[in-house]
Amino acid sequence: MVEDVTDLYREFGSDRLPPGQRRTDRFPVLSKGETPSCDPEEWRFEVFGAVDRRLEYDLEEFRDLPATTQQQDFHCVTGWSRFDCAFTGVPFPEIEERAGVDDDAVHVLFHALDGYTTDLPRSDCSRGEVLFAYGLDGEDLPADHGGPVRVVTPHKYAYKGAKWVTGVEFLTEPERGYWEKRGYSGTANPWREERYS
Ligand SMILES: Nc1nc2c(c(=O)[nH]1)N[C@H]1C(S)=C(S)[C@@H](COP(=O)(O)O)O[C@H]1N2
Ligand SMILES: [Mo]
């Protein structure tokens, strides 16, 4: 069953297409470098920082976690939006619950295979539409789009969704990620055009 969450824009604005965006039916690939090679047998996902239980999963274990398939929109800060992507993955709150995240963990830093990082306030992550996604449109997530596993953040510009994610770190103090250190917005709300900081 596919859950349609494309109406989440109502929380933030009056139009499904955020201001200054144009719609595309393609799904461009945007990465700071090459797609890193990843042996699925070697992939590990770690949950660490301000948690009661440090967690580590291999890909098989990760795919056995409770998951959902959601129809979501995808908004790139460079100006294109792709509607109706069907992502399958594990919701962020599921991971939080399993790790027993400390009350004073106010911030989150995502880590990825290519050295990329991105950060968000924890309150922006603790929602059912933030997924650790391993499927796209009924297939395994393609490597160029972040397979085996990436983060998706349909309520934020897409640079908040780390491709090739290898870990999530819970922090008691904010820390900035790769693009956030280089001038992109910390909060990245597309309906407020929070592109730069
Ligand atoms: N690990 C990693 N994740 C990343 C990036 C990256 O360079 N490395 N680029 C980000 C940017 S700027 C965007 S717009 C989206 C693009 O996702 P796509 O290539 O699937 O369209 O991934 C984000 N996640
Ligand atoms: Mo981007």
Side-chain angles (χ1 to χ4, degrees), residues 44-48 109-112 132 164-169:
R44 294 290 182 277
F45 180 76
E46 289 183 311
V47 185
F48 59 104
L109 190 65
F110 297 93
H111 296 265
F132 295 97
W164 315 296
V165 67
T166 53
V168 52
E169 181 177 5

Side-chain angles (χ1 to χ4, degrees), residues 27-33 74-78 80 112-117 144-146 150 158-165 179:
F27 197 169
V29 170
L30 266 169
S31 312
K32 68 178 179 66
F74 191 98
H75 308 293
C76 176
V77 71
T78 61
W80 55 268
L113 257 185
D114 60 342
Y116 187 81
T117 53
D144 283 349
H145 286 300
R150 76 170 302 159
Y159 65 89
K160 293 296 183 180
K163 304 198 282 188
W164 315 296
V165 67
W179 283 122

Side-chain angles (χ1 to χ4, degrees), residues 68-196:
T68 179
T69 298
Q70 291 180 1
Q71 192 156 308
Q72 302 190 344
D73 296 342
F74 191 98
H75 308 293
C76 176
V77 71
T78 61
W80 55 268
S81 294
R82 185 190 192 250
F83 284 1
D84 300 317
C85 310
F87 286 110
T88 301
V90 181
F92 190 94
E94 179 72 38
I95 295 295
E96 272 183 311
E97 206 167 298
R98 280 166 192 264
V101 180
D102 296 349
D103 287 342
D104 62 352
V106 293
H107 213 78
V108 174
L109 190 65
F110 297 93
H111 296 265
L113 257 185
D114 60 342
Y116 187 81
T117 53
T118 184
D119 71 282
L120 274 174
R122 183 177 161 203
S123 55
D124 281 334
C125 299
S126 305
R127 43 185 301 155
E129 304 91 357
V130 175
L131 303 180
F132 295 97
Y134 48 77
L136 170 63
D137 297 335
E139 313 273 346
D140 285 350
L141 182 68
D144 283 349
H145 286 300
V149 183
R150 76 170 302 159
V151 181
V152 287
T153 55
H155 59 321
K156 301 289 180 187
Y157 287 122
Y159 65 89
K160 293 296 183 180
K163 304 198 282 188
W164 315 296
V165 67
T166 53
V168 52
E169 181 177 5
F170 288 92
L171 301 166
T172 54
E173 303 277 340
E175 226 175 275
R176 283 185 298 164
Y178 181 86
W179 283 122
E180 291 85 358
K181 281 180 191 158
R182 290 163 177 78
Y184 279 91
S185 164
T187 46
N189 180 333
W191 292 273
R192 293 201 201 118
E193 287 208 80
E194 295 167 353
R195 297 177 197 267
Y196 308 105

